[in-house]
Amino acid sequence: MTATVSNFHYGAVTPIAAYLMACLGAALGLRCTTRSLRRPHRRARWLALGAVSIGCGIWTMHFIAMIGFSVQGALVSYDTSKTLLSLAVAIAFVAVGVFLVGYRGGSPLNLGIAGTVTGLGVAAMHYLGMAAIHTNGGLHYDALTVSLSVVIAVAAATAALWAAVSIHSLWSSLGASLVMGVAVTGMHYTGMAAVSVHLTGGTAASQSSTDLLSFLLAMLASPLAVLLIAAVIVMFDPDMMLGDDTWDGDGARDRVTPAPYGAGAGTDLPVAQQQPQRYTSW
């Protein structure tokens, strides 16, 4: 018997929350990548933080959305090992794409390779997370819809990586993250549209959602904490609110210090010959 499946058990709460998490991860990833390009001596650190932020954002989006997943007449539970493995897959594949564009640039070929790897990783995370589901029935997928979800994942990943190396101003990054949130969340719900559940065991009179909700919230606690820490690091970085600054090859910003008032009146050096004052931050 084919069961009735819903992805909106709690109404609009879960898709909206999932979208916001996808946007947060994308925004943090974009800002971290921008810093990595401006500070080559700290590039690996910023790229790693960006990859973790994007990966955690995508994974958190998925499982917040899955809070709203229900199967009529069936109990739903998750395998802990596969659930955590899907998080590791998301971060690892995103890291490959982020480091490729971070170190090799945003050429069309490099973007294509990095976007494909990252997109396939996002799709693998999604379907591995779905494989973690236990219910008294079997999950079946429509091949065409699954293929469409993978295409969306690759396109979204490529666009995100392009934005990471091409968009550097704060407000442009925030706008790009909103668009990326739509793409990533759209990929999730496209993948969920491919799912059907064929019940094989006895039907449950009512589904107890308390244990499931507790499990998912426990799984979400650590990635949410990581996103919070990443947000604090980015927000307290001195460069956070700066716009189109000029950075030298060592990642330090040059700032001209004017001559003291009254010192050497009429003999001040031209601006081009004044010594810059430098500072760096992590």
Side-chain angles (χ1 to χ4, degrees):
M1 179 180 70
T2 301
T4 301
V5 176
S6 173
N7 289 296
F8 308 100
H9 185 69
Y10 296 98
V13 174
T14 49
I16 292 175
Y19 169 72
L20 292 177
M21 287 300 102
C23 292
L24 175 61
L28 292 173
L30 289 176
R31 298 312 296 166
C32 288
T33 307
T34 294
R35 282 158 179 70
S36 76
L37 298 176
R38 289 177 171 178
R39 301 169 187 170
H41 62 305
R42 295 285 189 265
R43 180 166 296 175
R45 297 183 186 182
W46 282 111
L47 291 177
L49 182 61
V52 170
S53 298
I54 296 173
C56 285
I58 294 172
W59 189 88
T60 303
M61 174 277 302
H62 173 85
F63 280 97
I64 286 179
M66 292 306 294
I67 292 175
F69 176 75
S70 64
V71 180
Q72 185 177 7
L75 295 172
V76 176
S77 62
Y78 287 85
D79 179 88
T80 303
S81 298
K82 290 181 180 178
T83 300
L84 294 176
L85 179 59
S86 67
L87 173 60
V89 167
I91 294 175
F93 276 80
V94 169
V96 171
V98 167
F99 273 81
L100 275 175
V101 298
Y103 279 97
R104 302 187 63 179
S107 67
L109 177 61
N110 196 50
L111 272 177
I113 295 173
T116 300
V117 171
T118 304
L120 291 177
V122 171
M125 178 279 298
H126 175 88
Y127 290 105
L128 183 57
M130 295 300 296
I133 293 177
H134 290 164
T135 186
N136 56 320
L139 272 64
H140 300 268
Y141 297 90
D142 177 73
L144 182 60
T145 310
V146 168
S147 300
L148 178 59
S149 70
V150 174
V151 170
I152 293 174
V154 171
T158 304
L161 294 174
W162 172 85
V165 296
S166 304
I167 298 176
H168 303 305
S169 67
L170 174 62
W171 294 110
S172 296
S173 294
L174 292 178
S177 69
L178 296 178
V179 176
M180 293 316 306
V182 172
V184 173
T185 309
M187 176 270 162
H188 170 83
Y189 284 105
T190 300
M192 295 307 297
V195 177
S196 61
V197 179
H198 297 169
L199 298 181
T200 57
T203 59
S206 62
Q207 180 174 352
S208 174
S209 60
T210 303
D211 292 340
L212 176 61
L213 183 60
S214 298
F215 170 81
L216 289 176
L217 290 177
M219 289 291 101
L220 289 167
S222 294
L224 285 173
V226 170
L227 288 174
L228 177 60
I229 293 171
V232 170
I233 292 174
V234 171
M235 288 297 296
F236 280 88
D237 183 76
D239 182 44
M240 177 61 190
M241 302 306 294
L242 298 178
D244 298 329
D245 299 312
T246 300
W247 294 73
D248 65 14
D250 295 327
R253 186 166 65 93
D254 290 347
R255 182 174 62 188
V256 173
T257 303
Y261 179 76
T267 62
D268 291 348
L269 291 173
V271 172
Q273 298 181 27
Q274 294 181 23
Q275 293 298 318
Q277 178 181 349
R278 300 175 180 266
Y279 68 86
T280 60
S281 61
W282 187 83

